[in-house]
Amino acid sequence: DTEVTQTPKHLVMGMTNKKSLKCEQHMGHRAMYWYKQKAKKPPELMFVYSYEKLSINESVPSRFSPECPNSSLLNLHLHALQPEDSALYLCASSQDPAALNEKLFFGSGTQLSVL
Amino acid sequence: QKEVEQNSGPLSVPEGAIASLNCTYSDRGSQSFFWYRQYSGKSPELIMSIYSNGDKEDGRFTAQLNKASQYVSLLIRDSQPSDSATYLCAVVPPRGNEKLTFGTGTRLTIIP
């Protein structure tokens, strides 16, 4: 299994809603990432988990809350988002946290629209 | 100066020709270099990695790295319409700075 699976593929939410994005990989990778990508822009790093511990938080607003329940799962909890948070949210994984950012495998993403 | 720079394009290449994509980076101590392909509305897909100076070939793709000049390039031989996509250059900085840096991407269109 060489896939990173993200759900849902599309999400529309209001500014008062609470929702969660989910990501799963079964490649035995020990580093997992959340990226945000706006149209025609490169991915922007949000969070990195290494061995299930948060190792990087790129000064992301607290309305985004990551969670890593185990080595295969990564969640992103969303609350009180703003319309400017509308974007493609990408989960990625890589094999070795000691070589962070090496050979990322991306999921298909969640296209999020905040109304 | 941006950390990783790419010409945003669009770059138009006739089918069957060689497409040449270029990327420059500012941090001389950068360690690892990657090319990702991203189709419109899809996620990035790793197509090449290169770590040492010189050329690395994989099928129709060749990555070239010149650390002295701080550039990395991707050549696509016998370009196909299915190669039409945005190509993202990504650079791993020196140890101690864990942030992988993406360029803004070059949009490539192969003209049948």
Side-chain angles (χ1 to χ4, degrees):
Chain A
D1 185 355
T2 58
E3 281 193 352
V4 178
T5 304
Q6 284 188 248
T7 56
K9 293 195 184 308
H10 302 275
L11 178 62
V12 179
M13 60 186 291
M15 289 189 283
T16 58
N17 292 159
K18 285 185 182 180
K19 297 286 184 184
S20 296
L21 309 184
K22 297 186 184 301
C23 175
E24 188 169 3
Q25 58 88 13
H26 294 289
M27 296 179 279
H29 288 179
R30 301 313 298 271
M32 296 187 75
Y33 309 74
W34 281 114
Y35 281 86
K36 172 183 176 180
Q37 187 176 26
K38 297 280 233 180
K40 300 190 189 303
K41 298 290 187 183
E44 296 175 35
L45 183 64
M46 300 175 72
F47 303 103
V48 181
Y49 275 82
S50 301
Y51 295 109
E52 300 151 53
K53 288 184 169 41
L54 183 65
S55 63
I56 297 178
N57 176 341
E58 287 289 313
S59 302
V60 179
S62 60
R63 58 186 184 269
F64 296 92
S65 175
E67 178 196 20
C68 188
N70 60 53
S71 61
S72 300
L73 294 175
L74 186 66
N75 298 322
L76 186 63
H77 303 298
L78 313 173
H79 174 55
L81 294 194
Q82 303 297 309
E84 60 265 29
D85 296 321
S86 299
L88 180 67
Y89 287 83
L90 294 162
C91 174
S93 69
S94 64
Q95 186 171 26
D96 180 7
L100 267 181
N101 302 304
E102 295 278 330
K103 296 185 178 180
L104 299 181
F105 290 79
F106 283 90
S108 57
T110 294
Q111 188 65 54
L112 173 67
S113 296
V114 181
L115 304 179
Chain B
Q1 182 187 5
K2 291 182 183 176
E3 295 176 66
V4 179
E5 291 203 52
Q6 294 181 255
N7 187 326
S8 61
L11 174 65
S12 296
V13 173
E15 183 176 356
I18 296 175
S20 178
L21 305 163
N22 298 315
C23 171
T24 58
Y25 60 94
S26 59
D27 199 324
R28 184 170 288 277
S30 296
Q31 302 283 327
S32 310
F33 307 86
F34 305 93
W35 284 99
Y36 287 85
R37 177 178 63 199
Q38 187 170 24
Y39 293 113
S40 181
K42 303 294 185 184
S43 60
E45 174 193 10
L46 179 67
I47 53 172
M48 289 290 286
S49 59
I50 188 165
Y51 304 97
S52 53
N53 281 329
D55 294 0
K56 179 181 177 183
E57 189 174 317
D58 184 0
R60 295 187 296 112
F61 298 99
T62 299
Q64 299 174 318
L65 175 61
N66 183 324
K67 289 187 178 180
S69 300
Q70 295 175 238
Y71 83 78
V72 56
S73 61
L74 180 70
L75 302 177
I76 307 175
R77 288 183 300 282
D78 187 24
S79 298
Q80 303 296 310
S82 59
D83 295 326
S84 297
T86 296
Y87 289 80
L88 296 162
C89 173
V91 176
V92 176
R95 289 196 181 281
N97 177 352
E98 296 172 314
K99 185 176 177 180
L100 174 69
T101 304
F102 284 93
T104 51
T106 297
R107 190 157 52 94
L108 173 66
T109 300
I110 305 302
I111 304 167

